[in-house]
Amino acid sequence: MASLRAAKQALRREIKRRVALLSDEEKQRQSLVVSQKLFQHPRYQSCERIAVFLSMEDEVRTEEIIKDVFKLGKSCFIPRYERGSNHMDMLKLHSLEDMRSLPVTSWNIQQPAEDDSSREEALAAGGLDVILMPGLGFDRSGKRLGRGKGFYDTYLERCMRHPRGKPYTIALAFKEQLCQDVPVDDNDVLIDEILYEDLQ
C-alpha cells in the first residue's frame, strides 16, 4: 500500500512538471481540440444531464464546454467539494452568469457556497448521463490518477447506487497527462474514455 502511494506521488510530481511547461496558449489550443472532440461525441450529443468540472490551471479548460451545454439546453452540474472529507456533490448550474458569480475557495476553485441549498443535487433527482472527469494523469486503459482526495471515486460509488446507474465517464486530458501505466488500487474507478489530442 505504501509503495502504491509512493508510486502515485512520484507520477503526480512528474505530470505536474510536464504540464507546468505548457504555455497558456498551448493549454488553450489543446483544450479547444479536446472540446471539439467532445462536441462530436455521440454520448455528449445524446446526453441530457452532464457534470462538468470547473478547470484549474493545470487542467483542460472547460468554459467552452459549459457554454455549449447551455446553448444545447442540457442540464449542467458542477462539483462542490467538502473540505476535510472526500464528499462531493454535483450541483446544478443555471447559466454562464451563475458560473461567473460563484465564490472562489481557498483551493482557487469556483464552486457553490456551503450554505447554498437552493441548487438541485444531480443524484437527488434524475441522476447523470455523463460525467466529465478531471485528473492529473491517465493511461489508455482508463486508469486515472487523481489528486489523492478520492472525491470522484466516492461520487461514482454513489452514482452506482442510483436507479440510473453509473454515468458514462469521459476524462479530458492534455496529451502531456498521458502515461504508460497509472498505478491503481481497488477503490480507483476506471474511466470509460479519455479525450486528448492524438496525432494519428
Side-chain angles (χ1 to χ4, degrees), residues 102-170:
L102 291 171
V104 177
T105 68
S106 56
W107 293 338
N108 211 19
I109 303 175
Q110 282 188 295
Q111 65 177 32
E114 297 276 325
D115 57 1
D116 183 348
S117 57
S118 62
R119 295 175 190 270
E120 173 193 327
E121 206 293 315
L123 298 183
L128 287 163
D129 301 312
V130 170
I131 297 184
L132 299 183
M133 304 278 292
L136 279 176
F138 309 93
D139 69 21
R140 287 176 177 80
S141 62
K143 295 184 209 147
R144 167 181 171 268
L145 181 70
R147 294 176 189 273
K149 303 274 193 294
F151 286 116
Y152 276 84
D153 293 323
T154 310
Y155 193 77
L156 286 169
E157 282 165 26
R158 279 170 62 200
C159 289
M160 289 172 201
R161 297 195 290 271
H162 189 275
R164 285 286 284 271
K166 179 179 165 289
Y168 193 77
T169 50
I170 300 176

Side-chain angles (χ1 to χ4, degrees), residues 5-167:
R5 244 199 324 272
K8 284 186 173 186
Q9 287 298 33
L11 192 53
R12 281 190 187 103
R13 279 196 299 275
E14 165 60 20
I15 295 165
K16 281 182 173 171
R17 188 188 65 73
R18 274 190 252 163
V19 174
L21 294 173
L22 296 177
S23 66
D24 278 348
E25 293 76 20
E26 175 62 11
K27 287 179 190 166
Q28 193 63 39
R29 189 191 66 75
Q30 284 196 46
S31 296
L32 289 174
V33 170
V34 171
S35 300
Q36 289 304 326
K37 283 188 150 193
L38 179 71
F39 298 158
Q40 290 155 15
H41 196 293
R43 291 277 188 164
Y44 175 77
Q45 291 173 348
S46 66
C47 80
E48 291 172 6
R49 296 165 66 85
I50 184 168
V52 187
F53 60 94
L54 300 186
S55 40
M56 289 170 34
E57 194 45 43
D58 56 357
E59 292 171 339
V60 166
R61 309 284 185 263
T62 54
E63 188 157 337
E64 292 305 314
I65 294 169
I66 292 169
K67 284 181 190 166
D68 196 69
V69 167
F70 284 122
K71 191 174 85 191
L72 297 175
K74 302 176 186 296
S75 294
C76 185
F77 295 84
I78 57 167
R80 179 171 67 192
Y81 308 97
E82 273 185 23
R83 286 201 76 94
S85 79
N86 60 3
H87 184 83
M88 170 178 82
D89 287 319
M90 287 290 182
L91 301 180
K92 184 151 192 183
L93 189 66
H94 301 297
S95 64
L96 285 172
E97 294 66 43
D98 182 21
M99 177 182 82
R100 292 186 179 123
S101 67
L102 291 171
V104 177
T105 68
S106 56
W107 293 338
N108 211 19
I109 303 175
Q110 282 188 295
Q111 65 177 32
E114 297 276 325
D115 57 1
D116 183 348
S117 57
S118 62
R119 295 175 190 270
E120 173 193 327
E121 206 293 315
L123 298 183
L128 287 163
D129 301 312
V130 170
I131 297 184
L132 299 183
M133 304 278 292
L136 279 176
F138 309 93
D139 69 21
R140 287 176 177 80
S141 62
K143 295 184 209 147
R144 167 181 171 268
L145 181 70
R147 294 176 189 273
K149 303 274 193 294
F151 286 116
Y152 276 84
D153 293 323
T154 310
Y155 193 77
L156 286 169
E157 282 165 26
R158 279 170 62 200
C159 289
M160 289 172 201
R161 297 195 290 271
H162 189 275
R164 285 286 284 271
K166 179 179 165 289

Side-chain angles (χ1 to χ4, degrees), residues 169-195:
T169 50
I170 300 176
L172 308 178
F174 298 123
K175 55 184 188 285
E176 287 75 12
Q177 293 177 289
L178 286 174
C179 312
Q180 282 307 108
D181 186 48
V182 170
V184 292
D185 62 27
D186 298 343
N187 298 327
D188 293 310
V189 182
L190 291 185
I191 289 168
D192 293 310
E193 198 167 346
I194 297 156
L195 296 185

